[in-house]
Amino acid sequence: MLSSKVVQRRDDEVLRISRYFEVPPALLFKLWADPAHRVRWWGPTGMALSLCEVDFRVGGAWAVTMKAESGYEHPVHGVFIEIEDPTRLCFTYINDADGHEMLVEMDFAGEGTGTRMEFVQAPFLNVAERDGHDFGWNSTLSMLASYAPKVAEAGGAPMGQPRQPGDL
């Protein structure tokens, strides 16, 4: 199993994203933890979750299948390694297509009235894979950034219907 700290990696093996969200850390953390929320924001533009299973505990498994309007499906899964509500979340990330295991680490810190999330994923097999994940995660995090304030206004309840393949 991968270490819970990504250290001493070559730059081309690591994806790093720093993102600000206009909600407090506890709410942002909840949106990662609860599958009722995940189905409303997870997945890059044009894809939605046809499967979302989350056993949110250290050692618990998670699995999602992202589905495009064309019918293409992209299943990934992993196990939660660290859960420190609401400051840190780490999980393995395994692409079912090739079985390659990576580690995703996220740290959530209050910044003003919102949250700064530092995201690290590694090790990638090559630069093309890293760059593909860069697009996918940034698109997914944009969905989360749009969804989170709506949930805050609703007092934490899931908002709207789960996304469907083809949704922007």
Side-chain angles (χ1 to χ4, degrees), residues 96-115:
D96 287 12
D98 62 17
H100 178 66
E101 183 177 66
M102 292 178 276
L103 183 69
V104 172
E105 297 180 84
M106 291 180 289
D107 290 298
F108 304 86
E111 184 176 300
T113 59
T115 304

Side-chain angles (χ1 to χ4, degrees), residues 46-50 66-72 163-168:
M47 298 186 88
L49 298 184
S50 61
M66 294 170 273
K67 185 174 184 176
E69 196 170 21
S70 67
Y72 167 76
R163 291 179 55 225
Q164 297 299 310
D167 286 353
L168 299 177

Side-chain angles (χ1 to χ4, degrees), residues 59 105 116 132 161:
E105 297 180 84
R116 172 69 53 187
Q161 296 299 312

Side-chain angles (χ1 to χ4, degrees), residues 21-38 41 56 84-89 106 108-110 113-117 144-159:
F21 296 88
E22 295 181 6
V23 297
L27 178 57
L28 189 62
F29 196 89
K30 176 182 177 176
L31 299 180
W32 282 93
D34 186 346
H37 286 293
R38 279 191 189 208
W41 62 265
F56 198 70
E84 296 175 21
D85 186 356
T87 60
R88 186 165 170 79
L89 179 60
M106 291 180 289
F108 304 86
T113 59
T115 304
R116 172 69 53 187
M117 184 186 77
L144 177 57
S146 294
Y147 177 70
K150 296 173 190 171
V151 173
E153 289 175 17
M159 292 300 301

Side-chain angles (χ1 to χ4, degrees), residues 68-86:
E69 196 170 21
S70 67
Y72 167 76
E73 292 188 331
H74 181 69
V76 295
H77 70 279
V79 173
F80 293 102
I81 305 299
E82 284 183 66
I83 298 174
E84 296 175 21
D85 186 356

